[in-house]
């Protein structure tokens, strides 16, 4: 458990909060490239860390991120016209380029004003299907990071976004919580639990992550700090023989990242706070071996049903019981009454309420990954508050960060397989 005070400290991300200020020292994804479909397309409004921004793509295809309200008298730039190399406010026609330069002021002829003023715009990088921005202090811009997926050709990559009405830490914790995978996601990870003779197994079983190992529901966790945060392994007994163990490594990196291993692709995930009560989870899947399609991934994640997922929002709510399929549960066709990893994770996070108060929880050994996440966030905050740099903020090359899922003769050697992390991203001496 956490004290209510510490819970607040870790979960609040608005301007002026400790976590909010620390988070502002990193680059964050704010949209997928697909959200701005082409040059001069409609602008969009997106939230990041409690602030609202307007994003637009100019005639040359360059993306701009700016404060929502017009520099002149505050109309929303989201209403603007995107044309001829900039965005134009519809109120009095002031026009701005992606870097905030005022290109035109139809109601004010004197050009000196345009030289004196500039709109508040933010640094932008577009890479591998994500639009990233930096909204922190201008004299503290960290290097822009490169991830392993950046080296993977476009046809073996896909990007998705899921907005969930839950605080980022709830969503991130679900991604660093090994023991729920073989339980909440029973249909996906161990469809053998479906014992009913007349069960329609295939309807609900999505054999994406099936492994004998998931039958071990109390994995032993081992953890190690790294410069980017930490990594941990879940060690599970394999089948009946007991000779081998399954070891699954999950890297967790500040400010919001984690990596999840699937059999033939890996997901790099950013649980980005839109505000205190809303999280945009950006997922970049990349495969070393096969082309990836988005539709298939959405199906397997339970996101093709518009009752659950619409326009990137996870929309099922409590007043409909989240559309849980109780009949399928009774018939032992579905463990959770939900279908697919993301549907299950999102509902569980939502059901905790927008900002869960961790003062009421009861942790067990299986929660060690979650506990370490909170500790590393807290430690980084302390360093930051003493004037130091948040963990990992200087890393430009994150491409050595990779998880794995291996069957090993014993657990002892797992650290050898994770040597890149501790070599390239050593934890500071503590
Ligand atoms: S408010 Fe935007 S031009 Fe006047
Ligand atoms: Fe999950």
């Amino acid at each position: 458990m956490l004290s209510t005070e510490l819970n607040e400290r870790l979960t609040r991300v608005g301007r002026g909060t400790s976590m909010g200020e620390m988070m502002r020292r990193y680059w964050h994804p704010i949209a997928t490239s697909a959200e701005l479909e082409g040059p001069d397309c409609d602008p969009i409004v997106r939230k990041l860390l409690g602030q609202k921004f307007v994003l637009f793509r100019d005639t040359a295809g360059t993306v701009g991120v700016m404060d929502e309200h017009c520099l002149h008298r505050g109309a929303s730039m989201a209403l603007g016209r995107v044309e001829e190399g900039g965005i134009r406010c519809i109120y009095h026609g002031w026009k701005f380029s992606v870097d905030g330069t005022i290109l035109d002021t139809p109601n004010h002829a004197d050009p000196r004003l345009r030289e004196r003023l500039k709109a508040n715009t933010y640094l932008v990088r577009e890479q591998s299907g994500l639009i990233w921005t930096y909204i922190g202090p201008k004299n503290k811009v960290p290097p822009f990071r490169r991830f392993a997926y950046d080296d993977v050709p476009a046809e073996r990559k896909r990007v998705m976004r899921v907005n969930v009405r839950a605080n980022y830490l709830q969503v991130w914790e679900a991604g660093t919580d090994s023991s729920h995978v073989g339980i909440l996601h029973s249909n996906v990870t161990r469809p053998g639990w479906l014992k009913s003779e007349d069960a329609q197994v295939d309807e609900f079983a999505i054999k994406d992550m099936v492994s004998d190992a998931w039958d071990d529901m109390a994995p032993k966790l081992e953890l190690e700090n790294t410069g980017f945060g930490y990594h941990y392994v879940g060690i599970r007994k394999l089948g009946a023989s007991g000779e081998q163990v399954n070891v699954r490594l999950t890297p967790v990196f500040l400010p919001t990242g984690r990596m999840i291993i699937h059999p033939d692709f890996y997901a790099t995930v950013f649980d980005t706070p839109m505000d205190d009560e809303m999280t945009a989870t950006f997922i970049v899947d990349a495969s070393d071996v096969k082309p990836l399609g988005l539709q298939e991934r959405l199906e397997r994640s339970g996101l093709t049903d518009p009752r659950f997922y619409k326009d990137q929002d996870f929309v099922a709510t409590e007043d409909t019981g989240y559309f849980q399929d109780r009949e399928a549960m009774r018939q032992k066709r579905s463990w959770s009454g939900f279908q697919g990893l993301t549907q299950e994770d999102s509902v569980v996070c939502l059901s905790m309420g927008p900002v869960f108060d961790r003062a009421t929880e009861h942790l067990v050994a299986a929660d060690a990954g979650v506990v370490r996440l909170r500790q590393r966030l807290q430690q980084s905050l302390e360093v930051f508050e003493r004037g130091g740099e948040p963990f990992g903020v200087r890393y430009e090359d994150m491409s050595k960060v990779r998880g794995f899922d291996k069957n090993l003769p014993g657990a002892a050697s797992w650290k050898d397989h994770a040597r890149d992390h501790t070599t390239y991203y050593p934890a500071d001496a503590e």
Side-chain angles (χ1 to χ4, degrees):
M1 61 166 275
L2 296 180
S3 66
T4 301
E5 190 188 3
L6 182 54
N7 196 60
E8 290 286 297
R9 178 167 157 80
L10 295 185
T11 53
R12 302 292 167 181
V13 294
R15 262 178 146 165
T17 63
S18 291
M19 184 59 80
E21 293 304 315
M22 185 178 88
M23 287 262 183
R24 279 168 173 75
R25 297 287 291 275
Y26 298 87
W27 289 82
H28 292 274
I30 188 168
T32 65
S33 294
E35 289 175 74
L36 286 173
E37 57 204 17
D40 292 337
C41 64
D42 294 343
I44 55 177
V45 184
R46 292 296 179 265
K47 266 186 144 182
L48 175 61
L49 298 170
Q51 285 178 257
K52 273 167 98 182
F53 302 93
V54 166
L55 281 65
F56 67 102
R57 195 186 286 284
D58 74 7
T59 315
T62 310
V63 175
V65 173
M66 66 196 312
D67 283 344
E68 185 194 2
H69 297 288
C70 178
L71 180 74
H72 176 219
R73 278 176 41 213
S76 174
M77 293 304 297
L79 302 169
R81 303 174 61 93
V82 183
E83 57 193 12
E84 293 160 0
I87 186 167
R88 191 187 286 280
C89 178
I90 57 167
Y91 200 176
H92 312 93
W94 290 25
K95 182 178 172 185
F96 308 92
S97 70
V98 289
D99 72 359
T101 303
I102 304 178
L103 302 170
D104 194 14
T105 51
N107 68 345
H108 185 81
D110 186 346
R112 280 173 302 181
L113 177 87
R114 287 171 230 162
E115 282 147 29
R116 194 161 51 81
L117 285 177
K118 219 173 166 196
N120 257 342
T121 57
Y122 300 88
L123 292 174
V124 178
R125 294 288 291 267
E126 189 169 14
Q127 195 148 294
S128 297
L130 287 180
I131 295 166
W132 293 77
T133 191
Y134 173 78
I135 62 169
K138 299 253 189 284
N139 60 347
K140 298 282 187 191
V141 184
F144 183 72
R145 290 172 167 183
R146 202 167 66 79
F147 292 93
Y149 63 68
D150 284 318
D151 298 328
V152 174
E155 67 274 12
R156 289 200 262 114
K157 257 188 304 212
R158 65 191 164 203
V159 175
M160 48 192 266
R161 171 182 185 155
V162 185
N163 305 322
V164 184
R165 183 154 298 287
N167 180 262
Y168 83 97
L169 193 55
Q170 268 153 249
V171 183
W172 199 10
E173 285 179 355
T176 60
D177 170 6
S178 189
S179 75
H180 87 281
V181 181
I183 303 173
L184 173 65
H185 305 309
S186 287
N187 276 53
V188 179
T189 53
R190 38 179 209 99
W193 86 273
L194 296 153
K195 296 285 194 293
S196 172
E197 295 200 343
D198 52 354
Q200 306 276 312
V201 174
D202 283 340
E203 182 191 339
F204 277 86
I206 303 168
K207 301 178 183 65
D208 213 15
M209 296 176 76
V210 176
S211 149
D212 289 347
W214 296 114
D215 285 327
D216 181 354
M217 277 178 267
K220 186 167 170 284
L221 300 186
E222 290 187 15
L223 305 99
E224 193 172 34
N225 288 345
T226 63
F228 54 69
Y230 69 104
H231 59 200
Y232 73 88
V233 285
I235 302 164
R236 290 177 170 81
K237 295 181 209 89
L238 248 189
S241 72
E243 279 159 26
Q244 285 205 318
V245 290
N246 175 266
V247 181
R248 203 176 148 78
L249 178 87
T250 302
V252 182
F253 50 92
L254 270 64
T256 66
R258 55 194 166 99
M259 207 175 272
I260 304 293
I261 301 302
H262 294 252
D264 44 18
F265 68 92
Y266 57 96
T268 310
V269 184
F270 307 94
D271 292 310
T272 309
M274 295 167 71
D275 57 30
D276 288 352
E277 301 188 351
M278 193 86 195
T279 303
T281 296
F282 293 93
I283 304 167
V284 183
D285 292 335
S287 174
D288 294 327
V289 293
K290 66 166 198 183
L292 298 178
L294 183 59
Q295 192 57 25
E296 180 204 3
R297 171 64 134 104
L298 291 172
E299 275 163 25
R300 284 166 182 264
S301 304
L303 298 179
T304 45
D305 183 339
R307 295 176 307 161
F308 291 92
Y309 185 65
K310 215 171 160 214
D311 299 330
Q312 301 183 316
D313 288 332
F314 194 83
V315 290
T317 50
E318 186 184 1
D319 51 3
T320 56
Y322 305 101
F323 301 110
Q324 188 176 31
D325 190 340
R326 286 270 159 194
E327 186 59 20
M329 292 168 83
R330 272 190 293 275
Q331 295 171 355
K332 294 207 169 70
R333 288 187 290 121
S334 167
W335 165 266
S336 63
F338 298 102
Q339 237 184 327
L341 292 170
T342 310
Q343 196 182 104
E344 288 170 330
D345 285 330
S346 301
V347 165
V348 168
C349 290
L350 261 169
S351 73
M352 296 165 78
V355 187
F356 179 62
D357 182 0
R358 291 165 179 76
T360 64
E361 68 187 4
H362 298 82
L363 297 172
V364 295
D367 299 310
V370 172
V371 171
R372 185 66 62 98
L373 170 59
R374 300 171 188 175
Q375 284 170 349
R376 294 300 276 162
L377 279 173
Q378 224 184 316
Q379 288 164 355
S380 181
L381 266 183
E382 281 160 15
V383 171
F384 171 65
E385 285 168 341
R386 288 198 302 268
E389 301 221 291
F391 290 168
V393 79
R394 286 283 133 209
Y395 293 136
E396 188 167 0
D397 182 2
M398 292 282 281
S399 68
K400 304 282 192 299
V401 179
R402 288 289 292 265
F404 62 69
D405 185 325
K406 288 181 193 292
N407 296 338
L408 300 174
S413 65
W414 76 265
K415 286 186 184 175
D416 294 335
H417 296 276
R419 198 58 75 201
D420 266 4
H421 291 177
T422 41
T423 305
Y424 290 97
Y425 317 98
D428 285 344
E430 281 142 46

